[in-house]
Amino acid sequence: MHGTKQQVSDKLYITWEEVVSLCETICKKLEQEGDTNITNIIGISRGGLIPATTLAQMLNVRNVYSVGVRSYMDDGDYDTRLKEPIIYQDITRDQIKVINKKEGITLIVDDISDQGTTLKYIANKYKFDDCRCVSLFIKSSTCFIPRYRGKTTLEWIVFPWELNN
């Protein structure tokens, strides 16, 4: 599937090139809105790590953190959605202090906002001084729309790093 984008039944396969393009689009939107003083990026593991790293490279941001969050028991099945996200890898209180001491914007990045519960949960949990939520894709049914996003879709998205789908 690498290098091609195919729609198979209700799944939309995304290429590496499209991931990069969506990150470039988000960078342009950040610049248009004047949100250029980004000092920290937090990637939501697993899906948000690659977009977070890609954005960090594009924006020349050195401070990249990760938070492990699970919103589904089974990645490929909507029916296994959890009532509340589970954090299995947290950032420390010291890291939170460091993030809030830096004058600038913190981006919280995920690959997709299905219902928005993960991004909303993380943004509310940490309450950073100045943060923006970012997602490559959002579902049209999401209850939380990140400030910066790439595309809206109805399909189940399969990213190039999801090798078993």
Side-chain angles (χ1 to χ4, degrees), residues 2-3 10 19 24 31 35 42 55-56 68 90 112 118-119 132 143 145 154 164:
H2 302 292
D10 62 341
V19 170
E24 288 170 340
E31 187 175 338
D35 286 341
I42 299 171
L55 288 168
D90 211 346
I112 190 162
T118 303
L119 279 167
R132 310 285 187 272
C143 65
I145 299 175
L154 295 172
N164 296 327

Side-chain angles (χ1 to χ4, degrees), residues 144-161:
F144 180 80
I145 299 175
R147 182 161 179 176
Y148 296 102
R149 57 221 178 255
K151 291 184 177 179
T152 303
T153 186
L154 295 172
E155 292 89 8
W156 184 275
I157 300 295
V158 181
F159 291 96
W161 53 85

